[in-house]
Amino acid sequence: SVCLRCPISRNAPLPLRVVEPHFHLLNTQAPYGSFLKGLGAPDYLSEQFTADCAGVDIAKAVHCEVIPMDGLAEALYVESVAAAGSHPRIVGIVGSVDLSAKDAHAQLAAMKTQCPRLVGIRYMVDYDGPFGDASPATHVAVSRHGGGKGVDFLRDPELAPSFEAGYAALAEFGL
């Protein structure tokens, strides 16, 4: 992947044709984008992505979730962009589902049914102590849980079993 915003990448010779395996569209005006809007993140819409790709022959692209408050709503938004004939052509969506949620299986089923381009799920679980307490390895996405401090989905005795069940369900949906 070539970072189109990086000055070094911008000055490097470009390959003839590329696949963009990981890009983000962010619509903070939509309810699902409220978490990052609250952190001051700017919108990054398909028009901006297309402009940033000018001069690069991107054959196809895979959208990766952007910490949405509602993973299905974000995936449906990306599906609508893809269906409208976006350029580069979006061929895959990596969505977001809280795999520890009691309804994780139902969320996965709904997303798989409604989003034909769904190819995977990404849900941040990077936790190395409470977020913001000198633990730079804890991802900001984890701060959506535990009253803003985050939780350890892999070791928390209450959450780990439900997270494992949600994670195991990924195989059922081919994700």
Side-chain angles (χ1 to χ4, degrees):
S1 175
V2 175
C3 176
L4 299 174
R5 292 185 161 201
C6 174
I8 295 170
S9 293
R10 246 185 273 141
N11 296 326
L14 297 174
L16 295 177
R17 196 146 208 232
V18 297
V19 172
E20 174 53 75
H22 179 138
F23 83 98
H24 304 284
L25 297 177
L26 176 58
N27 182 353
T28 63
Q29 305 314 306
Y32 64 79
S34 64
F35 177 73
L36 287 177
K37 181 178 185 176
L39 297 177
D43 284 346
Y44 189 71
L45 305 175
S46 62
E47 298 80 13
Q48 291 164 282
F49 181 57
T50 299
D52 284 346
C53 295
V56 179
D57 184 9
I58 299 180
K60 49 192 167 184
V62 177
H63 179 271
C64 194
E65 61 87 23
V66 194
I67 316 174
M69 296 304 292
D70 179 338
L72 178 58
E74 180 192 50
L76 289 171
Y77 165 71
V78 177
E79 283 286 352
S80 73
V81 171
S86 65
H87 181 58
R89 186 169 59 101
I90 300 170
V91 298
I93 297 172
V94 176
S96 177
V97 169
D98 177 352
L99 297 175
S100 72
K102 293 189 185 327
D103 67 342
H105 190 275
Q107 288 184 56
L108 290 167
M111 194 176 292
K112 187 67 174 177
T113 300
Q114 297 178 55
C115 302
R117 291 173 181 84
L118 187 70
V119 296
I121 296 296
R122 178 175 91 152
Y123 197 75
M124 299 295 183
V125 296
D126 301 356
Y127 184 84
D128 188 34
F131 180 75
D133 290 347
S135 57
T138 297
H139 196 281
V140 66
V142 178
S143 70
R144 294 182 291 177
H145 307 282
K149 292 294 186 177
V151 294
D152 188 342
F153 289 101
L154 304 179
R155 293 175 192 85
D156 183 281
E158 292 181 31
L159 291 175
S162 58
F163 181 82
E164 289 174 21
Y167 186 80
L170 293 173
E172 179 182 336
F173 296 100
L175 303 170

